[in-house]
Amino acid sequence: MIVAMQSGATEHEIQSVIERMVDLGFNVHRTTGTQQTILAGVGTPAHFEVAEFQVLSGVQEAHRISSPYKLAGRGFRPEGTTVKFKNGFVVGGNTVAIMAGPCSVESREQILQSAKIVKAAGGQFLRGGAFKPRSSPYSFQGMGLEGLKLLREVADETGLLVITEVMEISQIELMLPFIDCFQVGARNMQNFNLLRELGHARMPVLMKRGIAATLEEVLLSAEYILAGGNYDLMLCERGIRTFETYTRNTMDISAIPLLKKLTHLPVIADPSHGVGRRDLVPAMALASVAAGADGVIMEMHPNPDKAMSDGAQSLFPDQLTQLVGKMRLIAEAVGRKIE
Amino acid sequence: MIVAMQSGATEHEIQSVIERMVDLGFNVHRTTGTQQTILAGVGTPAHFEVAEFQVLSGVQEAHRISSPYKLAGRGFRPEGTTVKFKNGFVVGGNTVAIMAGPCSVESREQILQSAKIVKAAGGQFLRGGAFKPRSSPYSFQGMGLEGLKLLREVADETGLLVITEVMEISQIELMLPFIDCFQVGARNMQNFNLLRELGHARMPVLMKRGIAATLEEVLLSAEYILAGGNYDLMLCERGIRTFETYTRNTMDISAIPLLKKLTHLPVIADPSHGVGRRDLVPAMALASVAAGADGVIMEMHPNPDKAMSDGAQSLFPDQLTQLVGKMRLIAEAVGRKIE
Amino acid sequence: MIVAMQSGATEHEIQSVIERMVDLGFNVHRTTGTQQTILAGVGTPAHFEVAEFQVLSGVQEAHRISSPYKLAGRGFRPEGTTVKFKNGFVVGGNTVAIMAGPCSVESREQILQSAKIVKAAGGQFLRGGAFKPRSSPYSFQGMGLEGLKLLREVADETGLLVITEVMEISQIELMLPFIDCFQVGARNMQNFNLLRELGHARMPVLMKRGIAATLEEVLLSAEYILAGGNYDLMLCERGIRTFETYTRNTMDISAIPLLKKLTHLPVIADPSHGVGRRDLVPAMALASVAAGADGVIMEMHPNPDKAMSDGAQSLFPDQLTQLVGKMRLIAEAVGRKIE
Amino acid sequence: MIVAMQSGATEHEIQSVIERMVDLGFNVHRTTGTQQTILAGVGTPAHFEVAEFQVLSGVQEAHRISSPYKLAGRGFRPEGTTVKFKNGFVVGGNTVAIMAGPCSVESREQILQSAKIVKAAGGQFLRGGAFKPRSSPYSFQGMGLEGLKLLREVADETGLLVITEVMEISQIELMLPFIDCFQVGARNMQNFNLLRELGHARMPVLMKRGIAATLEEVLLSAEYILAGGNYDLMLCERGIRTFETYTRNTMDISAIPLLKKLTHLPVIADPSHGVGRRDLVPAMALASVAAGADGVIMEMHPNPDKAMSDGAQSLFPDQLTQLVGKMRLIAEAVGRKIE
């Protein structure tokens, strides 16, 4: 931590700050300039908040230096993390993963059709919600356990992996037999109790960025899962909230290369939620691959106009097939491949 | 719902949109202008998403009209809701409520001292976290059940009501014997399962606005609690995330008068989280009362410099006392009072 | 400036950073820790960008310390600046200034009526635009010079001061004979050439915060005016752009107490643009005074429903009168007064 | 325009709204439902603000339908606009344009070296600022006229086109002899007087999106230039301000495909300002081409570490060359080409 004192700070104020730093476990190096005094705190105390120093008497500014995430930082695994799935497919290597499927599981026929389309288009993962978190209490809330069973059945039938959202600690055990990857939704990115439990699960996790989460917060949340011993973790950019209203969210494509620098974890892009409009999904999926994403997750519905949720952002089957074809060319242009 | 067709939309496109509207349960009124056709859908179908229409062929724009919240809207209870507590204290009437206390319960002595200060300053509610959601897994996580017991004890000793945060469905039953009001934190404002359960609880709830939640989303979340039959609900503005970094959040004071128009529920202001800096809390507390808040919740610690969490935004005991004095004058200036 | 090197930074990388710092004119103090090396640069070079260091090889983080504004900082005039107008009225002292009037000057009758209402309500300044910057080229663009003359006439007739917006360097000379205060609009807060010229004018200036400007940027812009020798400067909070759409902007009330700490300049609040809706203006005007504003500027129109611009945010005459009455009570509650 | 009345609106309130709509020039179609009355206003009055209706008595919501931009909308030129430069190069066709160069012109040698590198890398445009708008009055402000002459000289020597920023109406005439394209910076996107004058110039314009401008505002500003008769206009996405601080701005890649839908004008991407960090520029340039950009403008400096401004976001010469090579592959993958 660095504390810059105000130019007129008294020796008493400076000493108080030094004492508080020492109390917390820092070694303090003092630089007395003609204009101001700067205190550098070296060390990594477990608990402290930089804001505490910002309001101490005589302090001009305080900055935290040592990042509070230890396991998520790139330095922990400079070579990068790869997540290996039970069928041998690997995310985080040279292959860009394709994950697709409807927002919600609605019926056996709908999800089977979806799986066949995803497989034919070249995908490896079938996505689909069994438990749905909806903003309105009057909206469709998902098929629950029945939906999980259907996902597993049709995925096995078509040779796909299942990724679906977990919303509650109590759902973890229930879901384990049916899935290949937990998805943590944007609204749960700071549900720390849930994250902690997922850290103890022996199952890969894809964690989405919260709608207003900084990348630093994304990494702090990742730390909760990693700290439990679960390193099969993928991060996912899915759009942030800004002032622009033409799109549901503003997809932060720069988060992809930036996360690749800051952390060793694979980064997946979700253009469907990123923009919330079917007509923009293809351009954003291509941009994601060009920017270095390790995978792309997309909503596709056999009949989007009849979808029970998120129909407006779901691709038509044909669109998905054509899109994956173009994504393949982009992947090759950046030295990667799509199966 | 209103759908404005593009100026060159074909009759076939217009008919497709009308059919989809009728399918959903709307009565459709068509206005054919020289430039464009406008379709007004009258009625309130249970399930539909306006975004679905925005991507239909030939559509220029689609707007939802009937608000999806029924119970939270001002029209449901034009006279306003008052929440009555077991000791007779009422929030939502003419009296502005004062809620204060430390971020976390740390020890019996700390919380007893806090309670005495809050009482002496003129407060009615003791706040304090027993379960803490912390961004970093390496930060202090709260005293749990032991903290709840301490809160109850000292509140009874000093004649205060207890308000504290619930983070998990599983904590609801556990907390009921010890508290007078559940607090739903900003991170849980869209934890719909938790909200639904709180709708079945027979205990008042204070629900905080999410850090990136629109007021419409606040009201949709409120709807979840109200739909369960729990009308003892208060909303709380606690700052939103913007580009400004001098303050932790930007406190949206305009949300106070706006929520008072949009809904019948009482509105509480939380200047401590709203700005995150002790030095700005007094000005924001005064502004909140001037803007019409039904109560103010503030962090105060007997010794902020030694607080285990959020010390930087906690008031000193003396500051609280002086501040409530000034708030009383402001309350009187706007025709209200503080006990 | 502080540069924190990565934990594995080489001695060569560290030396390169030190050399660059010395090149720029810093004295460098090095702290070598077990984990990382921290470099503190003491001094105030005229030209440097902290971002330059963030991308140097081996650097983890770089923070600027010495603030680049010298004249706008509170330390330059700890006692605060007061702006004295030609009729003796002072902004920045104990009296809270009231500035009101229509968005645009539309006719002699309209502006005369406005002036009488403002004066009767207790105001000191008549506001009104002669040159209007409108988002659409098809909207009303203002009366120009004719409008300036009308403002002066009716202000003299009623005993008010004139404040009106300057949009171009070429308008400065033209406006000087007719006004008492230049207003710099939010869109021109970073029109640095205009600011520089206003620094040479002998006329007070009220500078509005840009719609997406940080407070640091507000102060850097203020520096342009102060650097030219014009210290009769007032800052104005008028709402920032956020994701919330119920209000045109989100008025950042916390900017008022924060600017009062950071700078010696008076701070004015503009609730009309801050929220953009007449029904919320009164609550926000009261909140502004409670939070410590040195003045409030409001749009009022003799007949808002017929206003040629911004009618929706203009107060009715009666509303202004009643509002100023309440503001007076709030001002007294915080130890100030309104004339 | 559509006005939805509140469910309990009186006949008198409804009539008042209808009268106001008719006054403005709308034909009004009324739909009386069991729950509420909806008024559709058909026609395109020159002057009206939808906010005006939002505060009328009895109104629940008001939405504007007919977009206020006429010339910028896609419908005006469904085939798309191409901008042809004097040497025959065309922007907006199948070729993706490359524009590169330093932030500021610093010396003959620096700008000549820059031009040679840009040309060799495959670029068509040399960018470089002669007049610099800097946030701090103490930063380098540009070489002015001397810089313009140097740009022209070296561009002619190397066979490039010159694009450079215009900041003031008074600079237009001065710049015309030396340049091939005006650039309007983000801070001037709503300097409507400047835009109006550029509408009368016979010279192409590249207009950048303001840092907090919605796409609707971008199009309204474009309308100012088009309305003057200048159709040689390109729009430019260069990042918007959000809460994320790792990057200087958040580059809104989705604006590229969205603008291509909304307007006929070519869309250029500026990844240098979009992210503000050299290390992320390549990924964002590739993403821009993948998303459909008609050109990319980038900062490159022969020696970024010695640049007088924006060094941190300027590419090294070698980086530019390699990057354009990869962009060429991406362009081919999406069916386009780079010269």
Side-chain angles (χ1 to χ4, degrees):
Chain A
M1 186 182 50
I2 296 296
V3 179
M5 303 300 296
Q6 289 168 3
S7 58
T10 65
E11 188 56 32
H12 181 256
E13 288 169 334
I14 296 170
Q15 286 305 328
S16 298
V17 174
I18 292 175
E19 273 168 39
R20 182 68 184 137
M21 291 172 82
V22 170
D23 269 8
L24 286 167
F26 284 108
N27 290 313
V28 181
H29 296 252
R30 174 175 177 170
T31 301
T32 308
T34 50
Q35 300 249 344
Q36 65 181 161
T37 292
I38 292 174
L39 305 172
V42 181
T44 51
H47 306 308
F48 88 97
E49 294 175 63
V50 73
E52 174 190 338
F53 285 89
Q54 284 159 350
V55 295
L56 287 187
S57 176
V59 170
Q60 179 188 320
E61 294 168 50
H63 301 280
R64 189 173 55 200
I65 299 283
S66 296
S67 56
Y69 43 92
K70 303 180 175 77
L71 307 173
R74 185 84 205 181
F76 185 74
R77 276 191 181 175
E79 75 285 9
T81 281
T82 52
V83 180
K84 192 168 180 177
F85 288 86
K86 66 171 187 206
N87 66 356
F89 186 78
V90 170
V91 174
N94 199 46
T95 300
V96 177
I98 302 294
M99 310 172 172
C103 176
S104 308
V105 183
E106 297 168 12
S107 69
R108 189 177 203 289
E109 194 189 318
Q110 172 247 19
I111 194 69
L112 176 58
Q113 247 189 295
S114 299
K116 287 179 177 168
I117 296 161
V118 171
K119 184 68 184 180
Q124 297 85 38
F125 290 81
L126 177 65
R127 58 147 292 152
F131 305 102
K132 299 304 304 175
R134 306 301 302 280
S135 312
S136 165
Y138 309 117
S139 297
F140 174 63
Q141 310 277 332
M143 289 183 76
L145 181 60
E146 186 57 26
L148 289 176
K149 288 181 187 165
L150 290 175
L151 278 170
R152 183 74 272 157
E153 261 180 57
V154 308
D156 286 346
E157 212 170 313
T158 50
L160 292 170
L161 295 160
V162 169
I163 175 168
T164 189
E165 183 168 352
V166 59
M167 289 168 64
E168 286 284 332
I169 290 175
S170 62
Q171 295 167 350
I172 295 178
E173 280 301 311
L174 187 71
M175 294 174 77
L176 278 171
F178 303 105
I179 69 168
D180 300 297
C181 187
F182 284 113
Q183 179 183 308
V184 176
R187 288 184 186 119
N188 276 319
M189 195 204 83
Q190 296 197 316
N191 183 339
F192 301 119
N193 292 334
L194 177 61
L195 301 183
R196 193 181 288 114
E197 289 304 314
L198 290 171
H200 300 308
R202 293 287 77 84
M203 174 67 75
V205 175
L206 178 145
M207 187 187 78
K208 292 195 172 184
R209 181 184 189 178
I211 201 173
T214 62
L215 295 183
E216 186 177 13
E217 289 169 337
V218 170
L219 295 178
L220 284 167
S221 286
E223 195 81 4
Y224 266 93
I225 295 173
L226 300 173
N230 189 349
Y231 283 84
D232 288 337
L233 178 58
M234 301 174 283
L235 305 180
C236 180
E237 163 62 30
R238 48 76 71 208
I240 56 174
R241 184 155 276 179
T242 69
F243 58 81
E244 180 58 66
T245 55
Y246 262 116
T247 44
R248 188 190 283 194
N249 301 299
T250 297
M251 190 169 176
D252 180 6
I253 294 285
S254 71
I256 299 169
L258 195 41
L259 282 173
K260 298 292 289 180
K261 287 199 71 164
L262 296 172
T263 179
H264 51 85
L265 299 167
V267 180
I268 309 299
D270 176 354
S272 303
H273 289 86
V275 290
R277 294 171 52 140
R278 181 193 306 138
D279 53 351
L280 302 180
V281 169
M284 298 310 282
L286 298 176
S288 299
V289 178
D294 295 302
V296 181
I297 186 164
M298 290 167 284
E299 290 195 0
M300 182 277 307
H301 193 283
N303 190 348
D305 293 346
K306 303 287 182 195
M308 294 175 78
S309 53
D310 276 357
Q313 69 191 37
S314 297
L315 296 172
F316 288 98
D318 281 2
Q319 274 185 303
L320 179 70
T321 311
Q322 287 165 28
L323 175 54
V324 176
K326 284 190 196 167
M327 286 164 74
R328 199 170 275 122
L329 296 176
I330 300 279
E332 283 159 18
V334 294
R336 301 182 76 169
K337 66 189 174 82
I338 287 179
E339 277 196 352
Chain B
M1 185 181 50
I2 297 295
V3 179
M5 302 301 296
Q6 289 167 4
S7 58
T10 66
E11 188 56 32
H12 180 258
E13 287 170 334
I14 295 169
Q15 287 304 328
S16 297
V17 173
I18 292 175
E19 274 168 38
R20 182 70 183 136
M21 290 171 81
V22 170
D23 270 9
L24 286 168
F26 284 108
N27 291 313
V28 181
H29 295 252
R30 174 175 176 170
T31 301
T32 309
T34 51
Q35 300 249 344
Q36 66 179 162
T37 291
I38 291 172
L39 306 171
V42 181
T44 51
H47 304 309
F48 89 98
E49 294 175 63
V50 74
E52 175 190 337
F53 286 87
Q54 283 159 351
V55 295
L56 288 185
S57 177
V59 169
Q60 179 188 321
E61 293 169 48
H63 300 281
R64 189 173 57 198
I65 299 283
S66 294
S67 56
Y69 42 90
K70 301 181 176 75
L71 307 173
R74 185 84 205 181
F76 184 75
R77 275 192 182 174
E79 75 284 8
T81 281
T82 52
V83 180
K84 191 168 178 179
F85 289 85
K86 64 168 190 208
N87 65 356
F89 186 77
V90 170
V91 174
N94 198 45
T95 300
V96 177
I98 302 294
M99 309 171 172
C103 175
S104 311
V105 183
E106 297 167 13
S107 70
R108 188 175 204 290
E109 192 189 321
Q110 172 247 20
I111 195 67
L112 176 57
Q113 248 189 297
S114 299
K116 287 179 177 169
I117 296 161
V118 172
K119 184 68 183 181
Q124 297 85 39
F125 290 81
L126 176 64
R127 58 147 292 154
F131 305 103
K132 298 305 300 176
R134 306 301 301 281
S135 312
S136 166
Y138 310 117
S139 296
F140 175 63
Q141 309 276 335
M143 288 183 77
L145 182 60
E146 186 55 28
L148 291 176
K149 288 181 186 166
L150 291 176
L151 278 169
R152 184 71 273 156
E153 261 180 55
V154 307
D156 286 346
E157 210 171 315
T158 49
L160 293 170
L161 296 160
V162 169
I163 176 168
T164 188
E165 184 168 352
V166 59
M167 290 168 63
E168 288 282 331
I169 291 175
S170 62
Q171 294 167 351
I172 296 179
E173 281 301 311
L174 186 72
M175 294 173 76
L176 278 170
F178 302 105
I179 69 169
D180 300 296
C181 187
F182 286 113
Q183 178 182 309
V184 176
R187 289 185 186 117
N188 276 318
M189 195 204 83
Q190 295 197 315
N191 183 339
F192 301 120
N193 293 334
L194 176 62
L195 301 183
R196 193 182 287 112
E197 290 305 314
L198 290 172
H200 300 309
R202 293 287 76 83
M203 175 66 74
V205 175
L206 177 146
M207 188 186 78
K208 292 195 172 183
R209 180 184 191 178
I211 202 172
T214 62
L215 295 183
E216 187 178 12
E217 289 169 337
V218 170
L219 295 177
L220 283 166
S221 286
E223 197 80 3
Y224 266 92
I225 296 173
L226 299 172
N230 189 349
Y231 283 84
D232 288 337
L233 178 59
M234 302 174 280
L235 305 179
C236 179
E237 162 63 28
R238 45 78 70 208
I240 56 174
R241 184 157 277 182
T242 70
F243 59 81
E244 179 59 66
T245 54
Y246 261 117
T247 44
R248 187 191 285 194
N249 302 298
T250 297
M251 190 171 178
D252 179 7
I253 293 285
S254 71
I256 299 169
L258 195 41
L259 283 173
K260 298 293 290 180
K261 288 199 72 165
L262 298 172
T263 180
H264 50 85
L265 299 168
V267 180
I268 309 298
D270 176 355
S272 303
H273 290 86
V275 289
R277 292 170 52 139
R278 180 192 307 140
D279 52 352
L280 303 180
V281 169
M284 299 310 283
L286 298 176
S288 300
V289 177
D294 294 303
V296 181
I297 186 165
M298 291 166 283
E299 290 195 1
M300 181 279 307
H301 193 285
N303 189 349
D305 294 346
K306 302 288 181 193
M308 294 175 78
S309 53
D310 277 357
Q313 69 190 38
S314 297
L315 296 172
F316 288 96
D318 280 2
Q319 274 185 302
L320 179 69
T321 311
Q322 288 164 29
L323 174 55
V324 176
K326 284 190 195 167
M327 288 165 73
R328 199 169 275 124
L329 296 177
I330 299 280
E332 283 160 17
V334 294
R336 299 183 77 169
K337 66 189 174 80
I338 288 178
E339 275 195 353
Chain C
M1 187 182 50
I2 296 296
V3 179
M5 302 301 295
Q6 289 168 3
S7 58
T10 65
E11 189 55 32
H12 181 257
E13 288 169 334
I14 296 170
Q15 285 305 328
S16 297
V17 174
I18 292 175
E19 274 168 38
R20 182 68 183 136
M21 291 171 82
V22 170
D23 269 10
L24 286 167
F26 284 109
N27 291 312
V28 182
H29 295 252
R30 174 176 176 169
T31 301
T32 308
T34 51
Q35 300 249 342
Q36 65 181 163
T37 291
I38 292 173
L39 306 172
V42 181
T44 52
H47 305 308
F48 89 98
E49 294 175 64
V50 74
E52 174 190 338
F53 285 88
Q54 284 159 351
V55 294
L56 288 187
S57 177
V59 169
Q60 179 187 321
E61 294 168 50
H63 300 280
R64 188 173 56 199
I65 299 282
S66 295
S67 56
Y69 42 92
K70 302 181 175 76
L71 307 174
R74 185 84 205 181
F76 185 74
R77 275 193 183 174
E79 74 285 9
T81 281
T82 51
V83 180
K84 192 167 179 178
F85 289 86
K86 67 171 186 205
N87 65 356
F89 186 76
V90 170
V91 174
N94 197 47
T95 300
V96 177
I98 302 294
M99 308 172 173
C103 175
S104 310
V105 182
E106 298 168 12
S107 70
R108 188 176 205 290
E109 193 190 319
Q110 172 247 21
I111 195 68
L112 175 59
Q113 249 187 294
S114 299
K116 286 179 177 168
I117 296 160
V118 172
K119 183 70 184 179
Q124 296 85 39
F125 291 81
L126 176 65
R127 58 147 290 152
F131 305 102
K132 299 303 303 176
R134 307 301 302 279
S135 313
S136 166
Y138 310 116
S139 296
F140 174 63
Q141 310 276 334
M143 289 183 76
L145 181 61
E146 185 57 27
L148 290 176
K149 288 181 185 164
L150 290 175
L151 278 169
R152 183 74 273 157
E153 261 180 57
V154 306
D156 286 346
E157 211 171 315
T158 50
L160 292 170
L161 296 159
V162 169
I163 175 168
T164 189
E165 183 168 352
V166 59
M167 290 168 62
E168 288 283 331
I169 290 175
S170 62
Q171 295 167 351
I172 295 178
E173 281 300 311
L174 187 71
M175 295 174 76
L176 278 171
F178 301 105
I179 70 169
D180 301 297
C181 187
F182 285 113
Q183 178 183 309
V184 175
R187 289 185 186 119
N188 277 318
M189 195 204 83
Q190 296 196 315
N191 182 339
F192 301 119
N193 292 334
L194 176 61
L195 301 183
R196 192 181 289 113
E197 290 305 313
L198 290 171
H200 300 310
R202 293 288 76 84
M203 174 67 75
V205 176
L206 178 146
M207 187 186 78
K208 292 195 172 183
R209 180 183 188 178
I211 200 173
T214 62
L215 296 183
E216 187 178 11
E217 289 169 337
V218 170
L219 296 178
L220 283 167
S221 286
E223 196 80 4
Y224 266 93
I225 296 173
L226 298 173
N230 189 347
Y231 283 85
D232 288 337
L233 177 59
M234 302 173 282
L235 305 179
C236 179
E237 161 62 30
R238 48 75 73 206
I240 56 174
R241 184 156 276 181
T242 70
F243 59 82
E244 179 59 67
T245 56
Y246 261 117
T247 43
R248 186 189 284 193
N249 301 298
T250 297
M251 190 171 176
D252 179 7
I253 294 285
S254 71
I256 300 169
L258 195 40
L259 283 173
K260 297 292 290 181
K261 288 200 70 164
L262 297 172
T263 180
H264 50 85
L265 299 166
V267 180
I268 309 299
D270 175 356
S272 303
H273 290 87
V275 290
R277 294 172 51 141
R278 180 193 306 138
D279 52 352
L280 303 180
V281 168
M284 298 310 283
L286 297 176
S288 299
V289 177
D294 295 303
V296 181
I297 185 165
M298 290 167 284
E299 290 195 0
M300 182 278 308
H301 192 284
N303 190 349
D305 295 347
K306 303 287 182 194
M308 294 175 79
S309 54
D310 276 356
Q313 69 190 36
S314 296
L315 295 172
F316 288 97
D318 280 2
Q319 274 185 303
L320 179 69
T321 311
Q322 287 164 29
L323 175 54
V324 176
K326 285 191 195 167
M327 287 165 74
R328 198 169 276 123
L329 296 176
I330 300 280
E332 282 161 17
V334 293
R336 300 180 77 167
K337 66 190 174 82
I338 289 178
E339 277 196 354
Chain D
M1 185 182 51
I2 297 295
V3 179
M5 302 300 296
Q6 290 167 5
S7 58
T10 66
E11 189 56 31
H12 180 257
E13 287 169 335
I14 295 169
Q15 286 305 328
S16 298
V17 173
I18 292 174
E19 274 168 39
R20 182 69 183 136
M21 290 171 82
V22 170
D23 270 9
L24 286 168
F26 284 108
N27 290 313
V28 181
H29 296 253
R30 173 175 176 170
T31 302
T32 308
T34 51
Q35 299 249 343
Q36 65 180 161
T37 292
I38 291 173
L39 306 171
V42 181
T44 50
H47 305 310
F48 89 98
E49 294 176 62
V50 74
E52 175 190 337
F53 286 87
Q54 284 160 352
V55 294
L56 288 186
S57 177
V59 169
Q60 180 188 321
E61 293 168 50
H63 301 281
R64 189 174 55 198
I65 299 283
S66 296
S67 56
Y69 43 91
K70 302 182 176 75
L71 307 173
R74 185 84 206 182
F76 184 75
R77 275 192 180 173
E79 75 285 7
T81 282
T82 51
V83 180
K84 192 168 178 177
F85 288 86
K86 66 168 189 208
N87 65 356
F89 186 77
V90 170
V91 174
N94 198 46
T95 299
V96 177
I98 303 294
M99 308 171 171
C103 176
S104 310
V105 183
E106 298 167 12
S107 69
R108 190 174 203 290
E109 192 190 320
Q110 172 247 20
I111 195 68
L112 176 58
Q113 246 189 298
S114 299
K116 288 179 176 169
I117 296 161
V118 172
K119 183 68 182 180
Q124 296 84 39
F125 290 81
L126 175 65
R127 60 146 290 153
F131 305 102
K132 300 303 302 174
R134 306 301 302 281
S135 313
S136 166
Y138 309 117
S139 296
F140 174 62
Q141 310 276 334
M143 288 183 76
L145 181 60
E146 185 56 27
L148 290 175
K149 288 180 185 165
L150 290 175
L151 278 170
R152 184 72 273 156
E153 260 181 57
V154 306
D156 286 346
E157 209 171 316
T158 50
L160 293 170
L161 296 159
V162 169
I163 175 167
T164 189
E165 183 167 353
V166 59
M167 290 168 62
E168 287 284 330
I169 291 175
S170 62
Q171 294 167 351
I172 295 179
E173 281 301 311
L174 185 71
M175 293 174 76
L176 278 171
F178 301 106
I179 69 168
D180 299 297
C181 186
F182 285 113
Q183 178 183 307
V184 175
R187 289 186 186 117
N188 275 319
M189 195 203 83
Q190 296 198 314
N191 182 339
F192 301 119
N193 292 334
L194 176 62
L195 301 183
R196 193 182 288 113
E197 290 305 314
L198 290 172
H200 300 309
R202 292 288 76 84
M203 174 65 75
V205 175
L206 177 145
M207 187 186 78
K208 293 197 172 182
R209 179 184 191 179
I211 202 173
T214 62
L215 295 182
E216 187 178 11
E217 289 169 337
V218 170
L219 295 177
L220 283 166
S221 285
E223 197 80 4
Y224 266 92
I225 295 173
L226 299 172
N230 188 349
Y231 284 85
D232 289 336
L233 178 59
M234 303 174 281
L235 305 181
C236 180
E237 162 63 29
R238 45 77 71 209
I240 56 174
R241 184 157 276 182
T242 70
F243 59 81
E244 180 59 66
T245 55
Y246 261 116
T247 44
R248 188 191 284 194
N249 301 298
T250 296
M251 189 171 177
D252 180 7
I253 293 285
S254 72
I256 299 169
L258 195 41
L259 283 173
K260 297 293 289 180
K261 288 200 70 165
L262 297 172
T263 180
H264 50 85
L265 299 168
V267 180
I268 308 298
D270 176 355
S272 303
H273 290 87
V275 289
R277 292 172 52 140
R278 181 192 305 141
D279 53 351
L280 302 179
V281 168
M284 299 310 284
L286 298 176
S288 299
V289 177
D294 294 304
V296 181
I297 186 165
M298 290 167 284
E299 290 195 359
M300 181 278 307
H301 193 283
N303 189 349
D305 294 347
K306 303 288 181 194
M308 294 175 78
S309 53
D310 277 356
Q313 69 190 36
S314 297
L315 296 172
F316 287 97
D318 281 2
Q319 275 185 302
L320 179 70
T321 311
Q322 288 165 29
L323 175 54
V324 176
K326 285 190 195 167
M327 288 165 72
R328 200 169 274 124
L329 296 175
I330 300 278
E332 283 160 17
V334 294
R336 299 183 77 170
K337 64 190 175 82
I338 288 179
E339 275 194 354

